[in-house]
Amino acid sequence: MIRYTLKCDKEHSFDSWFASASAFDALLAKGMVSCTICGSTTVEKALMAPAVRPARKAAAAEATKPEAPLSAPQTGIEEAFAAMRQAVEANSDYVGVNFVSEARAMHEGAKPERAIHGEARLDEAKALLDDGIPVMPLPFLPKRSRN
């Protein structure tokens, strides 16, 4: 496996792993490598520093530095998604896998309308839209489904 730092034509920088250098070249030629931020397929390798192992004293000093937790947002986009998630969770009820039945019941007047979020399969969400029930996907998974 090889990791490349990539950059799109809109100057977004991101990392990605590939099976080999030739696998990267083949995927890039087929237009299958895209920016994780904007989706652009005009991508190129960015200048990367080699991964060099530090001296023992430097490694010991690095080990004592506290690291940011992996769950903490690292970029502005991640912070925006975290804020969106917090707003959705604070202002709506999580109904889990009962989302489709709850949405239908509210649309038909059987239950009072309220803001909800939950889980639905793609075909179920499309059926809700076809029936005139407004729904939209959220760009994050429920907390229990995250890895």
Side-chain angles (χ1 to χ4, degrees):
M1 294 293 285
I2 188 167
R3 186 187 86 191
Y4 286 128
T5 298
L6 306 172
K7 183 173 69 173
C8 77
D9 58 338
K10 295 177 181 65
E11 300 298 318
H12 298 129
S13 181
F14 58 99
D15 290 349
S16 191
W17 289 87
F18 299 91
S20 64
S22 59
F24 167 76
D25 293 335
L27 290 170
L28 186 66
K30 292 178 183 177
M32 297 178 71
V33 179
S34 62
C35 176
T36 58
I37 297 167
C38 68
S40 171
T41 56
T42 306
V43 174
E44 62 184 24
K45 293 179 197 173
L47 185 62
M48 292 177 46
V52 178
R53 197 170 182 192
R56 287 184 192 170
K57 285 184 181 180
E62 273 299 310
T64 61
K65 288 184 183 177
E67 291 186 23
L70 292 176
S71 61
Q74 302 294 321
T75 66
I77 291 173
E78 289 179 358
E79 288 174 3
F81 276 125
M84 180 192 309
R85 170 187 218 103
Q86 187 176 15
V88 167
E89 290 174 347
N91 298 306
S92 65
D93 296 327
Y94 178 70
V95 294
V97 296
N98 298 325
F99 178 79
V100 174
S101 60
E102 288 284 324
R104 282 195 187 285
M106 286 190 297
H107 182 71
E108 294 166 356
K111 290 193 174 184
E113 285 196 25
R114 68 189 199 283
I116 62 171
H117 68 282
E119 301 171 46
R121 294 189 324 262
L122 181 60
D123 61 321
E124 294 173 329
K126 285 181 179 179
L128 289 173
L129 289 170
D130 289 343
D131 294 341
I133 303 171
V135 297
M136 69 178 245
L138 296 173
F140 50 80
L141 294 173
K143 284 188 176 177
R144 68 172 181 79
S145 297
R146 288 190 302 176
N147 188 357

